[in-house]
Amino acid sequence: MNASGLSPEQVKLQARARELAAGPVAKRAAEVDRTEQYPWDNVELLKDARLIGMTIPQQYGGQGKGWLDAVLAIEALSSACAVTGRIAVETNMGAISAVMAYGSEEQKKLAADMVLSGDKPAICITEPEAGSDAGGMTTRADKKGNRYVINGRKHWITGGGVSRLHLIFAKVFDEQGNEEGIGGFLAIRDETKGLKITKREPTMGLRGIPEAVIDFEDMDVPPSSLVIPPRGLKKGFADLMNAYNSQRVGAATVALGIAQGAYQLALDWSEKRRQFGRPINEFQGLQWKLADMSIKLVAAQALVYNAARSGEGGFPDMLLAAQAKVFTSESAIQVVNEALQFFGARGYSRELPLERMARDVRMFTIGGGTAEVLRNVVAGALLNKKLPQTRDGWSKS
Ligand SMILES: Cc1cc2nc3c(=O)[nH]c(=O)nc-3n(C[C@H](O)[C@H](O)[C@H](O)COP(=O)(O)OP(=O)(O)OC[C@H]3O[C@@H](n4cnc5c(N)ncnc54)[C@H](O)[C@@H]3O)c2cc1C
């Protein structure tokens, strides 16, 4: 699946990531899934290969690479192990990119140092009663003297229990109880009293990375932990979500990588497996499946690369990121499902990676904005209209 338009450095970076993926990462993937243990050894491999914190500017110890560079690494890694691909997403995009764009000097140094030493930050937005309607969150940060006191519950937080740095979205209230907008607070697990990991979700796939419920009980933090985007708290949510467009491109890339991995397995198997005295790829029924799978993959890759390129010098464009994530996540599910079919009964066995890939890839139409809600984002951008989803037409965010 060669993409044109890559620089020689990008081709080298891609080769480095592919080598790692085909070697140690592929070897560990089934075990990571089976044991449900976070692959700290892979984190070390990513660190050594300089695939972590690549997008962090050089003055903070990173490499100042662009989104497409990160995408190339994530795509290659995810074809072998989606969990490792997600670690590469969250150490290059999402929370870390929000802090590097909007944080104070102190916040940037803290976050960069933690990520470069192998911490995958957690981004805490979703709540039990505020999923797609994230602006309806009830986690609150009340100003009390020279502190903020945070109370609330987040769930489905990727990395809960392994991540140390957390970026926690909360409604911010002044001392008089007036709501000022939504901000992101930085807190470090085990160093911040009141930040409690209270449950690990038993997930369908992506099992090597925990999804957790996190409770904030009178979590007391200084104002210096509040990340305030340049347009202030009133636009804080919109700006923080703009940074999140990088993570959406990253999520689409993981789905793409998984599907490419599954497609390659099916292609190879279709030559090896013989029925009726001939390789199964001599049957037109399967040839057309291969053709459709490859078309979806090429189209998805073009959308993902294009969305990544749109963000150079800033964040990926919201419309392009949403289009890429909807198409790629849905196509990837179809491609992996078809790839599994090529293997007949073997595809249904846990001895092959297809069933793991099918479980892993299913997530990507859900996490990071569902395919339905992202279609609303696409429609809103195309029509250039706010499309509030509440009955009274009032938009909270
Ligand atoms: C593996 C995984 C990892 C995740 N990681 C994180 C994380 O690290 N941090 C974090 O904050 N969150 C995370 N999430 C949460 C994720 O972002 C939410 O699950 C997602 O935003 C959807 O919210 P919900 O699950 O509450 O679904 P709901 O909002 O309850 O939606 C239910 C259904 O209704 C549909 N729907 C809702 N509103 C509309 C509408 N207006 N128009 C059309 N359809 C609509 C949805 O598309 C969906 O099909 C993760 C989720 C998963 C599965």
Side-chain angles (χ1 to χ4, degrees):
M1 204 63 47
N2 270 331
S4 56
L6 299 182
S7 69
E9 291 77 38
Q10 286 172 328
V11 172
K12 265 195 229 153
L13 165 70
Q14 192 178 44
R16 204 159 79 233
R18 282 182 177 165
E19 198 183 317
L20 204 61
V25 171
K27 261 195 210 110
R28 281 273 281 128
E31 191 187 2
V32 168
D33 178 60
R34 195 182 63 251
T35 59
E36 304 195 14
Q37 296 293 314
Y38 190 70
W40 287 108
D41 48 349
N42 286 358
V43 173
E44 289 306 312
L45 293 175
L46 296 184
K47 258 168 65 181
D48 292 347
R50 304 185 73 220
L51 300 178
I52 265 181
M54 292 157 57
T55 58
I56 293 174
Q58 286 174 340
Q59 78 235 57
Y60 298 99
Q63 300 165 62
K65 297 253 186 218
W67 305 118
L68 182 59
D69 300 303
V71 157
L72 295 173
I74 296 159
E75 183 184 14
L77 294 166
S78 303
S79 68
C81 173
V83 165
T84 307
R86 288 187 82 206
I87 295 171
V89 172
E90 301 202 2
T91 51
N92 285 294
M93 297 163 154
I96 183 62
S97 56
V99 179
M100 296 321 290
Y102 305 137
S104 64
E105 271 307 294
E106 189 195 350
Q107 290 168 340
K108 287 183 193 175
K109 281 187 189 141
L110 171 84
D113 286 352
M114 289 185 74
V115 167
L116 291 166
S117 66
D119 187 46
K120 180 213 86 57
I123 188 159
C124 310
I125 308 170
T126 308
E127 301 181 358
E129 301 309 324
S132 299
D133 181 15
M137 67 180 66
T138 57
T139 295
R140 54 186 292 147
D142 288 280
K143 186 93 193 286
K144 294 210 169 137
N146 196 26
R147 310 291 289 176
Y148 278 105
V149 178
I150 300 179
N151 281 286
R153 167 171 286 184
K154 301 286 179 182
H155 76 166
W156 286 93
I157 304 307
T158 303
V162 296
S163 300
R164 291 188 66 235
L165 187 64
H166 289 63
L167 179 64
I168 303 145
F169 285 39
K171 285 196 171 149
V172 182
F173 293 85
D174 67 14
E175 300 226 43
Q176 286 70 47
N178 303 309
E179 191 184 324
E180 297 187 294
I182 290 177
F185 289 85
L186 285 176
I188 302 179
R189 180 177 56 85
D190 295 341
E191 288 180 23
T192 316
K193 249 177 81 185
L195 189 165
K196 296 180 183 163
I197 312 295
T198 45
K199 184 191 170 198
R200 180 171 177 171
E201 305 288 354
T203 58
M204 173 179 178
L206 300 166
R207 293 185 183 176
I209 203 163
E211 302 295 336
V213 176
I214 308 187
D215 284 307
F216 306 101
E217 293 171 4
D218 287 334
M219 188 180 85
D220 186 308
V221 290
S224 59
S225 66
L226 176 56
V227 177
I228 308 179
R231 295 191 299 164
L233 281 175
K234 278 269 169 275
K235 302 270 181 199
F237 189 53
D239 287 346
L240 287 166
M241 289 314 283
N242 192 32
Y244 198 66
N245 285 322
S246 61
Q247 181 133 340
R248 284 188 175 146
V249 173
T253 309
V254 179
L256 173 65
I258 300 170
Q260 286 173 343
Y263 167 80
Q264 192 59 50
L265 291 173
L267 190 65
D268 296 346
W269 178 247
S270 74
E271 183 61 35
K272 275 189 213 130
R273 177 65 173 167
R274 298 175 74 86
Q275 286 295 283
F276 301 97
R278 50 206 298 221
I280 57 172
N281 63 18
E282 289 187 9
F283 303 121
Q284 192 180 52
L286 295 192
Q287 289 165 1
W288 284 11
K289 278 189 202 292
L290 284 173
D292 284 343
M293 289 155 80
S294 78
I295 292 165
K296 283 176 185 155
L297 288 176
V298 169
Q301 189 185 56
L303 285 171
V304 168
Y305 283 18
N306 194 31
R309 285 193 169 108
S310 74
E312 297 310 324
F315 290 111
D317 178 75
M318 181 182 68
L319 170 63
L320 297 179
Q323 287 172 327
K325 183 160 181 291
V326 171
F327 183 81
T328 307
S329 59
E330 292 183 347
S331 302
I333 291 170
Q334 294 158 8
V335 168
V336 174
N337 197 33
E338 288 290 38
L340 189 151
Q341 189 72 14
F342 273 68
F343 287 82
R346 290 172 176 84
Y348 199 66
S349 164
R350 278 183 281 144
E351 285 178 357
L352 291 189
L354 281 308
E355 64 83 31
R356 165 170 54 81
M357 290 167 149
R359 285 185 284 108
D360 287 353
V361 79
R362 187 61 189 83
M363 188 285 251
F364 294 92
T365 57
I366 304 171
T370 66
E372 295 76 24
V373 165
L374 290 179
R375 281 188 167 83
N376 293 340
V377 170
V378 171
L382 295 178
L383 299 169
N384 196 21
K385 278 184 188 173
K386 269 197 175 266
L387 301 176
Q389 301 294 307
T390 51
R391 279 193 181 162
D392 61 4
W394 181 66
S395 166
K396 282 170 271 183
S397 36

